[in-house]
Amino acid sequence: MKHIYSILMLISLLFVGTACEDDYRDMVFFTGDAPIYQIGTCDNLIGSVNLYLSKPEGIIVGVDGGDANYSIVNGDDAIVTAAFVKSESGYQRIQIIPKAEGETGITVRDGSGSSTLLRVKVDECLKLIWSKKKDGIVVTGEATEEQKKNIADAFTDFFTVKVGGRYEMIPDNESEMWEKGTLRVRPDDSAIAPMIGRYERGPVVDGEVERLGLLFKYNDEEHFYTFNGPDLTRMSVMEYMDFWEDVTEVCPVEVPVGCKVYHVERLSPYNQSINN
């Protein structure tokens, strides 16, 4: 009987020990007042963050989980610095300050040796980069294949930005990325200084149809873009976006009556590579 009692006591202690271990969550980084764990909600747990040298105050993030005996291991002090600041709402906070462009990681460990990693990327400022992957000429209307070829050939080396070049959109107001801002244009993949211009969102008139698009101004040029073809059947996808510009009026050769000529630039955001 004593043996049975001893075994039951050991089992009870085992369950108690397991319950104590389960009291500790995995360590996480979060934004806001407190971490949100509920399934099916918009949680605020983060594994990476983008910082900008134009915002030297950086960001304050919270840490939860583990045994709360935290320490910081910074990946590269030349890119960011990280330090504990005053706890708020019962959670430990860390302030991360950007120092130079680059990517690194910040690791937080607890007393048991568990850890979690926050990936950090630092850029000079908030910007949207479009990398030019392809371009081409599309002719709509009644035109022969020979006429279409002659029109396409006439635009060879016509445009300033070549495949491999890119556009950088830097908004005047970070909460309105697409409205207007500074435009930096790199004609090709060389390291020469970019052309500086402006961009703004607005209506683009295509015949009798008015569509929302972008106006790019640079190098004494103006380019009005829409984001789908004239028949409204071509849709953009996550990997790239097609910018359509009506160039009928500037075509170097005669355009058949009733036809329209479009210059199409296939642009990939954030320098993502595509195979199409």
Side-chain angles (χ1 to χ4, degrees):
M1 189 71 176
K2 289 183 179 180
H3 293 297
I4 295 175
Y5 178 76
S6 298
I7 292 172
L8 290 174
M9 285 297 293
L10 287 172
I11 292 173
S12 298
L13 289 172
L14 178 61
F15 278 113
V16 170
T18 303
C20 290
E21 289 180 5
D22 289 343
D23 286 342
Y24 296 111
R25 292 181 181 271
D26 290 338
M27 290 195 302
V28 294
F29 293 97
F30 66 90
T31 57
D33 293 334
I36 300 173
Y37 292 104
Q38 289 88 345
I39 296 175
T41 65
C42 294
D43 67 57
N44 59 348
L45 310 183
I46 58 173
S48 63
V49 65
N50 292 334
L51 300 181
Y52 305 101
L53 297 176
S54 58
K55 288 191 171 184
E57 69 276 13
I59 189 175
I60 294 178
V61 300
V63 184
D64 188 32
D67 64 11
N69 185 20
Y70 302 131
S71 61
I72 298 174
V73 180
N74 194 8
D76 191 337
D77 287 327
I79 297 176
V80 296
T81 59
F84 292 119
V85 293
K86 185 178 179 181
S87 298
E88 295 180 8
S89 305
Y91 297 98
Q92 180 63 64
R93 308 286 168 162
I94 297 175
Q95 184 169 24
I96 305 170
I97 302 293
K99 295 297 183 181
E101 291 186 59
E103 298 184 36
T104 186
I106 294 171
T107 300
V108 170
R109 292 197 176 104
D110 71 358
S112 71
S114 297
S115 66
T116 185
L117 172 69
L118 181 68
R119 295 180 298 277
V120 182
K121 180 179 180 181
V122 178
D123 206 340
E124 59 170 329
C125 60
L126 175 65
K127 59 187 174 182
L128 179 58
I129 301 174
W130 295 100
S131 179
K132 187 169 180 178
K133 300 301 180 181
K134 284 185 176 182
D135 69 359
I137 296 295
V138 174
V139 181
T140 64
E142 297 296 325
T144 65
E145 292 302 315
E146 183 179 359
Q147 289 172 321
K148 291 179 181 179
K149 182 179 183 305
N150 289 339
I151 291 172
D153 290 344
F155 279 105
T156 302
D157 296 326
F158 185 88
F159 300 102
T160 299
V161 180
K162 314 302 182 186
V163 173
R166 69 177 192 246
Y167 305 100
E168 299 178 7
M169 297 167 57
I170 304 172
D172 290 342
N173 185 336
E174 292 185 1
S175 64
E176 298 179 332
M177 182 78 211
W178 291 90
E179 291 302 317
K180 59 182 178 178
T182 299
L183 180 70
R184 295 198 299 211
V185 180
R186 300 183 185 274
D188 52 36
D189 58 1
S190 67
I192 63 173
M195 301 174 182
I196 305 299
R198 295 286 296 174
Y199 76 88
E200 61 185 58
R201 187 175 71 158
V204 178
V205 178
D206 183 6
E208 298 181 354
V209 179
E210 185 176 272
R211 303 176 188 160
L212 199 61
L214 281 176
L215 169 62
F216 282 5
K217 296 180 180 180
Y218 62 91
N219 194 36
D220 295 325
E221 303 173 30
E222 290 191 1
H223 298 272
F224 295 88
Y225 295 107
T226 55
F227 308 124
N228 46 274
D231 58 2
L232 298 178
T233 60
R234 295 173 181 265
M235 301 300 293
S236 300
V237 297
M238 291 299 293
E239 291 82 6
Y240 63 84
M241 182 177 286
D242 287 339
F243 278 26
W244 290 70
E245 179 187 12
D246 185 347
V247 292
T248 307
E249 298 299 321
V250 296
C251 184
V253 297
E254 183 178 358
V255 177
V257 176
C259 292
K260 302 204 74 171
V261 182
Y262 294 89
H263 176 223
V264 185
E265 298 188 46
R266 176 156 293 183
L267 305 177
S268 177
Y270 309 113
N271 293 326
Q272 295 174 358
S273 61
I274 58 174
N275 297 320
N276 293 354

